[in-house]
Amino acid sequence: NSMGFGSEDGFFVGLQKTPNNGLSLLLKDSRTDNNLMIFDGDNNTTPLQYSSTDYQPKSRPWYQPFAQSRQAGWSNIYSNHDSERALTISSVSPVFQHGAFLGNVVTDVNLSQISSFLEQESHEFSGFSYILDNKGRLIANSLRAPIVAQNDMRIKAVNSVDPIIAMSGAQLNESLPSSDNISRSFQFEFAGERY
């Protein structure tokens, strides 16, 4: 969805895909008076789409852990700092020049697009799919059930508004293997159908 660079100086530059397959510039530096500005095109002469005075790249979940560890990896799931507040997971890679840490390159994956992918794939086998984290919280699902509550907290599968996800989530909790190397199966009935 987007790719950017956040520096140790607190600056940020990035590009994000728009719904019409265009690009939108994200910029925070001296040219923007240190405010985050999201432009309606790939440069800062296009119309302004969104602005924020309190955006601090170094405090974002994709920055601090990787600035400390100096290792590439995946961020925790978080809410974007834009007008949509989309749930995101990021691939992060620290950047060095002559051994000095400069900042992080971040590549975002919008979790709603993972749900779209699961929805398309699930139609082929007349089933449903969902992805959980290690705490049982929903990351994405093919049924388009909400994954975030009104308080911005992620929903556990067992608490999903979709009864099929909730019932299978409860079954999954009961049959979780004690070792990551063991798979288990389970079944249940809902509305006269076997799952």
Side-chain angles (χ1 to χ4, degrees):
N1 298 96
S2 68
M3 186 171 186
F5 172 75
S7 73
E8 274 291 272
D9 299 332
F11 299 142
F12 182 80
V13 62
L15 290 169
Q16 68 182 6
K17 287 197 303 190
T18 62
N20 62 358
N21 290 325
L23 292 175
S24 180
L25 174 68
L26 295 85
L27 187 62
K28 179 190 182 207
D29 65 12
S30 58
R31 293 170 288 184
T32 65
D33 292 326
N34 288 322
N35 297 318
L36 175 66
M37 294 190 175
I38 301 176
F39 296 91
D40 202 19
D42 62 3
N43 63 70
N44 63 350
T45 62
T46 58
L48 185 63
Q49 184 182 44
Y50 175 80
S51 174
S52 174
T53 58
D54 63 349
Y55 181 70
Q56 299 299 327
K58 291 174 68 173
S59 68
R60 301 299 293 153
W62 56 264
Y63 195 91
Q64 203 54 255
F66 304 94
Q68 289 176 352
S69 72
R70 303 287 208 258
Q71 298 288 317
W74 286 92
S75 72
N76 290 327
I77 295 170
Y78 63 94
S79 176
N80 260 346
H81 194 93
D82 59 14
S83 58
E84 295 175 15
R85 300 279 189 218
L87 276 186
T88 302
I89 187 167
S90 298
S91 172
V92 184
S93 182
V95 176
F96 300 89
Q97 184 177 40
H98 306 297
F101 175 69
L102 299 181
N104 290 327
V105 169
V106 57
T107 305
D108 295 343
V109 177
N110 182 323
L111 296 182
S112 67
Q113 291 193 342
I114 295 175
S115 290
S116 295
F117 171 77
L118 291 176
E119 185 177 19
Q120 291 169 1
E121 293 297 310
S122 296
H123 281 301
E124 291 188 25
F125 62 88
S126 301
F128 69 95
S129 305
Y130 61 87
I131 301 172
L132 307 174
D133 67 11
N134 61 351
K135 294 187 172 121
R137 297 175 299 195
L138 288 166
I139 292 174
N141 68 84
S142 62
L143 300 173
R144 295 299 186 141
I147 58 176
V148 179
Q150 289 183 348
N151 62 1
D152 286 337
M153 299 297 288
R154 293 210 346 268
I155 297 171
K156 288 191 172 195
V158 296
N159 299 327
S160 175
V161 297
D162 187 284
I164 297 171
I165 292 177
M167 290 180 79
S168 64
Q171 289 287 326
L172 185 60
N173 278 348
E174 290 176 17
S175 64
L176 283 176
S178 57
S179 167
D180 290 340
N181 298 325
I182 300 171
S183 65
R184 303 261 170 94
S185 61
F186 59 86
Q187 62 182 341
F188 64 94
E189 280 197 24
F190 175 73
E193 290 192 51
R194 184 173 69 88
Y195 290 85

